[in-house]
Amino acid sequence: SDRNNIKLGFYANYYGTSNTNVVYDKKDNIAIENSVLSHVSSYTKTYYEPRAEYNKSLYTRSLYGRGYSNLTLSTTLAGRFLNDNNVSTLDYRNLKLNYITFLPRVGLNYNMSKSNAYYANYSLTYNYDQEYPYLDRLRPIYDDINPAYRNYGSLNALKATGIHALAVQGYYSQIRQYGYNISFNLAFRNYQRGLTDSVVYLDNQQQVYTAQMDKAMEVYTGSLVFSKPYLIGKNQTLNLNVNGNVNWGNKYQYLDSELQEMYNNSQDIGINIYYTLVDKYQIGWKNNVNRYRRYNKLGNTLSNDYTSYAWNSGMSISYALSKRWAFNTNGTLRYNKSGTYKDDVFIWNANTTYRVLKGNNLEFKIAAYDLLRQNKGLYFYNGVTEFTTGYS
């Protein structure tokens, strides 16, 4: 219903599934049922969320044919009722959880515009939400085919994780040909009773447990996007795109029963420039730099700090030999370094395309990749609780 700027809503969801899993291992060409993985289970999840929303215009100014501005307050009060139930022949997978969550939200939104000049929108919002420790986080199934690693989940009952979130967003756009656009986002998230990993290294097995922290964990993020086209000559344009992201946060974890407070931060900057001559060719120059840093603030002997860098710089060219026939090529220099691992390669690709039929709606393409045969497929994965390198 909608009356006096008040909206009432209700959301409901039901999910249910039943499974019969029969797993066999082959030993001496004889199929033997695996009692660890074979099971019969029935899982249901019900979810109800009633809500009330209230919106009010705090300020409005309108000048006919000249401009407009408005400030609006929006609030939401909601409640979430969640029931999570699993019945299984695997005793440790029998679980029943119930959660009741209060979900407030408040926001301010300001937008303004000036005729034939610009449009802008800015907002400030706060909301509270919760994340829940579901079945597979609490009681994961153990596959004994991998005895060197086992995830035990949680040995104790876990509470829901409360999340306080605050965000500031903005957007500005010039309303004219070859105008620029800029947008930004700043966000803060505070986690109460957050879940984390507790890793124990034994001689023949790595054991992972899920622990709940009584200390707050926080995440800060920011982003900026800027784009602008330039007219530099007859039928010639230059487009500039710049984007940047920063992240910072802390996360607790246990390593062999010793508490670590891992601080992590990352920066990512991209600059792309495209030059276009209409109906002839396009030249693009793309650059991206990423840095990731992780360190243990507590500074104990079990520190696993590291820093990684990734830089990609590439040039691409597209040339129209005719209305049907085009040639494209691109080359990218890739540099990656993390700890003692590094990779430095130049990747060169090329292709040509030819279109046929009326309307040019059938295309033939011949492509050649990595002409210099330098790609080794080395990759890195950075995370708060792990660093992984490998070849793909």
Side-chain angles (χ1 to χ4, degrees), residues 56-58 70-75 105-111 121-126 167-169:
K56 181 177 177 59
S57 177
L58 302 178
N70 173 259
L71 177 64
T72 302
L73 169 69
S74 61
T75 61
R105 179 189 181 277
V106 61
L108 286 171
N109 187 80
Y110 179 70
N111 62 75
N121 179 269
Y122 306 98
S123 65
L124 170 66
T125 59
Y126 163 81
V168 179
Q169 295 178 309

Side-chain angles (χ1 to χ4, degrees), residues 221-283:
T221 61
S223 66
L224 177 69
V225 178
F226 174 84
S227 64
K228 188 181 189 322
Y230 298 89
L231 181 64
I232 59 176
K234 185 178 180 180
N235 296 328
Q236 299 179 69
T237 59
L238 188 72
N239 288 271
L240 172 65
N241 298 283
V242 180
N243 62 81
N245 296 277
V246 294
N247 296 273
W248 177 90
N250 72 317
K251 181 176 176 63
Y252 292 94
Q253 66 183 29
Y254 288 95
L255 193 61
D256 282 337
S257 300
E258 188 165 355
L259 179 65
Q260 294 185 334
E261 184 180 9
M262 303 306 299
Y263 273 67
N264 64 94
N265 63 83
S266 66
Q267 303 82 38
D268 187 274
I269 300 174
I271 301 176
N272 304 323
I273 300 174
Y274 298 94
Y275 168 78
T276 302
L277 178 61
V278 177
D279 296 330
K280 282 297 181 181
Y281 57 82
Q282 183 183 79
I283 300 175

Side-chain angles (χ1 to χ4, degrees), residues 273-374:
I273 300 174
Y274 298 94
Y275 168 78
T276 302
L277 178 61
V278 177
D279 296 330
K280 282 297 181 181
Y281 57 82
Q282 183 183 79
I283 300 175
W285 184 37
K286 303 181 67 175
N287 296 270
N288 178 264
V289 178
N290 177 271
R291 173 186 177 273
Y292 181 89
R293 166 69 169 155
R294 184 184 82 174
Y295 64 95
N296 181 16
K297 182 184 177 182
L298 299 182
N300 50 32
T301 56
L302 295 177
S303 177
N304 51 0
D305 307 348
Y306 65 82
T307 304
S308 69
Y309 304 90
W311 174 54
N312 296 323
S313 181
M315 184 78 70
S316 63
I317 300 174
S318 177
Y319 185 77
L321 301 171
S322 68
K323 291 184 178 180
R324 294 178 178 267
W325 189 13
F327 174 78
N328 310 280
T329 184
N330 62 78
T332 303
L333 176 63
R334 300 176 181 175
Y335 174 78
N336 295 277
K337 185 178 187 302
S338 187
T340 59
Y341 302 93
K342 62 181 179 179
D343 188 29
D344 185 359
V345 298
F346 181 76
I347 307 298
W348 178 30
N349 307 313
N351 70 77
T352 182
T353 59
Y354 191 81
R355 295 181 175 182
V356 297
L357 300 181
K358 185 178 180 179
N360 294 331
N361 53 7
L362 177 63
E363 181 181 88
F364 292 93
K365 179 178 180 180
I366 299 176
Y369 300 99
D370 191 19
L371 291 166
L372 302 180
R373 302 183 67 182
Q374 290 196 15

Side-chain angles (χ1 to χ4, degrees), residues 11 14 16 18-19 38-39 45 82 117 124 135 171 184 190 207 209 211 228 237 268 273 291 323 332 343-344 349 379:
Y11 175 79
Y14 172 82
S18 296
N19 292 290
S38 297
H39 67 280
K45 181 170 73 172
L82 177 66
L124 170 66
L135 174 66
Y171 174 77
F184 69 89
N190 176 278
Q207 299 180 350
Y209 300 87
K228 188 181 189 322
T237 59
D268 187 274
I273 300 174
R291 173 186 177 273
K323 291 184 178 180
T332 303
D343 188 29
D344 185 359
N349 307 313
Y379 68 88

Side-chain angles (χ1 to χ4, degrees), residues 168-187:
V168 179
Q169 295 178 309
Y171 174 77
Y172 181 91
S173 176
Q174 289 185 323
I175 307 175
R176 62 181 178 86
Q177 192 176 25
Y178 305 111
Y180 69 86
N181 298 312
I182 185 170
S183 63
F184 69 89
N185 178 72
L186 299 172

